[in-house]
Amino acid sequence: MTEGNPVGTVTALGVGNLRWRLLTTYTVFGGTALAVCLLAPLVGPTPISLRQVFDGSIPFTDNVDAQIFFIARLPRALAGALVGGALAAAGVVLQALLRNPLATPFTLGVSAGASLGAMVVIIFGVPLTVLGVPAVTLASLAGALAAVVIVYSLARLRRQGLSTNVLLLAGVTLNSLFSAVIMFIQYLADFSQNFQAIRWLMGNLDVSGYEPIVWALPLLAVAVAGFAWLPRSLNLLTLGSEHAASRGVNVLRTQRLAFFSASLATGAAVSLGGPIGFIGIIVPHIVRLIVGADHRVVLPASAFLGAAFLVICDVGARTLMAPVELPVGVITAMLGGPFFLWLLIRSR
Amino acid sequence: MVTHTQSIGTSTTCPTVVAILVVAIGLLSAQNSGPKRIISIVPAVTQILFAIGAESRLVGIGSFDRLPDGDDRAAELVRVGGLLDPDMERIFTLRPDLVVLYQSHVDQRQQLERAGIPVLVYEHAGLVDITETIRDLGVRTGRTVQAESIAAQMDTGLAAIRAKVDGRPRPRTLLVFSREPMALRNIYASGGIGFLHDMLDTAGGENVFAEVRSENIAQVSSEAILAAAPDVIIEIRFDEYLRKSVIDDERDVWRQLSALPAVRNGRIHFVTGHRFVVPGPGVIEATEELARMLHPEVFATPQTRPAPGVG
């Protein structure tokens, strides 16, 4: 990776070639994600009978197999797919925006803001739900949005454009600041609350219902709409903002769109599953090693691979040590890390 | 002691009298021996010291320790931090001659030992270990008689509860320590080790996650709970002053898992209070409370409030 374009080189592609590669991407990566989502609810520590799951003659309230399938497994698979896809896509966009291969969805302080929101509710105990969504989810979303506003305002203060350096520094500083406040709140809390707080920070997809997913969907839809506009401009932006501007890219608008859609995706993902690490940095790099650096391919491929990867990790989290549950973040790091290193060594 | 009595007299009554005298003198001197400036940052140990009447020897206690209701020594006793943040400076200033610490306080223990201050390391363990701790502390503080009487009371009390529920069907019970507010997420339940599991066992319940032997506490998924199908769910809350409306709302959260026998039969209980979280003399009342929930038919008489005091 050269200094000029730290997240890879984009080679010019013919339209026919691109169409073919997109088709392959959607078929292979999209197909994998779909297959994983369909198969995941069938796998688990408890043997269940599919016939009983879909047996309409047994009322749902008495049907244990159906409840395991529809409450314990299916929402988890859906949440895993959404969170994994959102984090991986946000990772791609932020790495391009900040022109830094080490950027993650958590670099700009969004997840720290979300975590702070969640900590406040867990530790000061706000026993509340809004339309079936627990207060922790809502508070983490609010925290994420607050962080986005703060970081964006700071990055806009200095000069006309959106300074990626200020963005990065403000994000990193905000991360430390929020972490300090989180530590202080945890210090005030009692033993069981601390337990909850630490566990939330490890990430968990056991949403046991569809309300939090339904709540996150519109936010993710807006983020996806933003992502759809981005790939071509991001390709040019990775070569430098002057270069991009000279090729007709509205740099500020692209940066703004990239920042807000990635932040929205991150905020929604973290409020749904907690700050699950590693996906946002590992998946984009794995995808680049497989398909090259063109964001028109990398972005959808990363979203699909991120979705499939997190759903698989979560099956491991709920199955490997059953009935005890493993933090899914532990599995994403343990599986993703060595695999990425292997890919890195092999590709050199 | 035997050789001593034989040298004094030959009749059968005389040695007995002397032996009693020797024991009495020994006890009296023991009452005044042992550490006189104790610091305990372990809530269970603080409770036990109060229960065996050794509280006058305390000079410092943990920040989260509760004194028995009506005890006005709160201002007198210095609070010296807790499990995570023992204040070593304050501890040294109090010139203690015994400090009770947790196992995890490795550095603090070294500091104290370097200063020549005796240390007692406390370990959380099962229900039977509580009486052992009480007897130990009795010996250490010269309050053997009181300690023995309290330990014996506990042993009989627990045996009585066990006898009462003996032979009854044991409801499969899920004991929840903590979870996310208003959601069935990040649920921590009792595994098959620890004093709470032992209390449940004594109270005539079958812990649904008894086979989880690794830790005191295990995080379980909603699938694991659905598969375990508990007849009774008991949630232990650290917050002693939970409003009834909050408890009602939190109980309703379980309705999501309507296939659970506990949900269908409305057997979801919330219990609060230090007697459930501090492995001290209060566990007797706590165990009886659990037994009443699990076997209401056995305890048909109206429930008496647990006596105020330790616990």
Side-chain angles (χ1 to χ4, degrees):
Chain A
M1 290 169 194
T2 56
E3 205 186 322
N5 42 4
V7 285
T9 318
V10 183
T11 46
L13 288 173
V15 176
N17 191 0
L18 175 72
R19 200 166 288 160
W20 164 244
R21 289 186 61 191
L22 273 179
L23 188 69
T24 325
T25 303
Y26 278 98
T27 319
V28 175
F29 287 91
T32 308
L34 189 67
V36 167
C37 286
L38 288 175
L39 289 176
L42 305 178
V43 186
T46 326
I48 57 170
S49 129
L50 268 189
R51 185 175 296 167
Q52 197 185 326
V53 168
F54 294 103
D55 187 348
S57 64
I58 311 170
F60 185 71
T61 45
D62 299 332
N63 193 339
V64 178
D65 285 17
Q67 292 205 355
I68 287 180
F69 188 88
F70 288 110
I71 295 176
R73 292 187 189 169
L74 191 59
R76 280 185 85 137
L78 293 175
L82 292 175
V83 171
L87 290 178
V92 170
V93 170
L94 289 173
Q95 282 157 17
L97 170 70
L98 301 169
R99 302 178 67 213
N100 189 328
L102 293 176
T104 75
F106 305 159
T107 305
L108 294 186
V110 179
S111 76
S115 303
L116 180 57
M119 292 304 104
V120 168
V121 170
I122 288 173
I123 287 172
F124 297 109
V126 185
L128 195 84
T129 48
V130 178
L131 302 172
V133 182
V136 174
T137 308
L138 299 174
S140 61
L141 202 59
L145 294 179
V148 170
V149 171
I150 295 173
V151 173
Y152 181 76
S153 324
L154 287 172
R156 281 309 305 271
L157 271 182
R158 290 277 293 274
R159 51 182 178 147
Q160 286 269 294
L162 191 69
S163 162
T164 48
N165 271 343
V166 176
L167 209 56
L168 203 56
L169 284 172
V172 171
T173 313
L174 211 61
N175 262 330
S176 317
L177 188 69
F178 282 158
S179 304
V181 180
I182 288 173
M183 269 195 279
F184 179 67
I185 296 178
Q186 284 183 348
Y187 183 80
L188 298 177
D190 76 28
F191 164 76
S192 82
Q193 293 163 334
N194 262 319
F195 229 71
Q196 277 300 316
I198 292 167
R199 190 56 191 84
W200 190 90
L201 292 171
M202 289 182 186
N204 175 291
L205 292 165
D206 195 4
V207 290
S208 62
Y210 298 90
E211 292 87 353
I213 298 175
V214 171
W215 184 269
L217 269 180
L219 302 171
L220 289 172
V222 174
V224 168
F227 290 153
W229 283 96
L230 281 170
R232 211 189 69 85
S233 314
L234 284 184
N235 282 345
L236 294 166
L237 207 61
T238 52
L239 302 169
S241 41
E242 284 83 9
H243 186 94
S246 74
R247 298 282 295 271
V249 174
N250 184 336
V251 173
L252 180 61
R253 210 178 65 187
T254 305
Q255 286 176 329
R256 206 186 283 158
L257 189 61
F259 173 73
F260 280 115
S261 43
S263 299
L264 202 58
T266 308
V270 175
S271 71
L272 198 53
I276 299 169
F278 241 65
I279 294 195
I281 184 159
I282 289 298
V283 171
H285 286 298
I286 289 177
V287 167
R288 280 193 202 98
L289 287 171
I290 300 171
V291 304
D294 188 339
H295 286 96
R296 288 171 291 189
V297 185
V298 171
L299 196 54
S302 294
F304 289 135
L305 189 66
F309 180 61
L310 188 55
V311 174
I312 291 172
C313 288
D314 190 50
V315 170
R318 59 185 167 82
T319 314
L320 288 177
M321 280 178 63
V324 178
E325 179 154 3
L326 273 172
V328 68
V330 170
I331 299 183
T332 56
M334 281 187 172
L335 279 183
F339 179 65
F340 178 65
L341 289 178
W342 173 76
L343 215 59
L344 204 64
I345 294 162
R346 222 197 57 161
S347 68
R348 285 291 142 102
Chain B
M1 187 127 71
V2 177
T3 48
H4 189 77
T5 51
Q6 273 172 346
S7 70
I8 289 175
T10 46
S11 77
T12 47
T13 49
C14 199
T16 324
V17 171
V18 173
I20 291 170
L21 267 174
V22 168
V23 168
I25 291 166
L27 277 176
L28 273 175
S29 61
Q31 295 281 27
N32 296 314
S33 72
K36 291 186 186 63
R37 299 183 62 81
I38 304 175
I39 295 178
S40 157
I41 62 165
V42 181
V45 171
T46 307
Q47 282 194 0
I48 292 170
L49 289 174
F50 268 91
I52 64 176
E55 72 273 17
S56 60
R57 291 163 185 245
L58 274 168
V59 289
I61 56 174
S63 300
F64 304 106
D65 295 7
R66 291 285 175 91
L67 298 185
D69 288 344
D71 197 291
D72 50 1
R73 295 196 61 213
E76 238 177 275
L77 289 168
V78 182
R79 302 271 177 173
V80 296
L83 173 65
L84 297 174
D85 57 345
D87 184 340
M88 290 312 286
E89 250 177 61
R90 206 171 276 185
I91 289 176
F92 280 122
T93 321
L94 287 171
R95 292 177 293 107
D97 50 10
L98 179 69
V99 179
V100 189
L101 291 173
Y102 285 101
Q103 236 187 346
S104 58
H105 292 132
V106 181
D107 296 344
Q108 289 84 354
R109 194 176 158 185
Q110 267 180 1
Q111 286 182 44
L112 289 165
E113 278 167 356
R114 235 174 262 149
I117 298 169
V119 171
L120 184 69
V121 178
Y122 174 80
E123 228 177 302
H124 258 313
L127 197 52
V128 283
D129 302 292
I130 298 175
T131 46
E132 205 169 300
T133 310
I134 293 175
R135 290 189 171 104
D136 260 11
L137 286 167
V139 173
R140 280 261 188 171
T141 55
R143 308 285 297 180
T144 36
V145 178
Q146 294 83 344
E148 184 50 48
S149 122
I150 288 189
Q153 248 176 47
M154 283 186 69
D155 287 338
T156 9
L158 291 173
I161 296 171
R162 200 173 286 127
K164 255 188 168 171
V165 298
D166 188 39
R168 300 253 151 203
R170 299 167 69 83
R172 291 173 53 73
T173 308
L174 169 69
L175 204 56
V176 175
F177 294 118
S178 129
R179 61 176 164 87
E180 217 176 272
M182 295 307 288
L184 296 182
R185 292 183 78 169
N186 291 330
I187 300 170
Y188 280 87
S190 167
I193 298 176
F195 79 98
L196 279 161
H197 164 80
D198 294 348
M199 278 160 65
L200 177 61
D201 187 64
T202 307
E206 182 83 37
N207 184 351
V208 286
F209 293 121
E211 84 275 19
V212 180
R213 310 291 307 172
S214 57
E215 275 180 44
N216 272 352
I217 294 166
Q219 194 193 358
V220 290
S221 61
S222 39
E223 170 164 352
I225 293 172
L226 279 166
D231 301 312
V232 181
I233 296 170
I234 299 174
E235 287 209 44
I236 294 171
R237 289 301 169 100
F238 292 66
D239 189 352
E240 275 187 89
Y241 308 102
L242 273 184
R243 269 175 302 155
K244 194 183 170 296
S245 61
V246 172
I247 292 180
D248 289 344
D249 289 347
E250 289 283 13
R251 190 180 283 127
D252 279 350
V253 172
W254 285 99
R255 285 206 191 149
Q256 289 171 49
L257 306 184
S258 54
L260 297 182
V263 177
R264 265 183 296 174
N265 303 325
R267 297 191 71 180
I268 300 168
H269 303 276
F270 280 73
V271 294
T272 58
H274 268 226
R275 59 194 177 283
F276 282 100
V277 286
V278 177
V283 294
I284 289 277
E285 283 121 41
T287 309
E288 193 179 324
E289 218 174 309
L290 290 182
R292 283 177 192 281
M293 285 166 192
L294 297 169
H295 301 281
E297 72 288 350
V298 180
F299 297 84
T301 49
Q303 185 181 352
T304 48
R305 285 283 304 153
V310 212

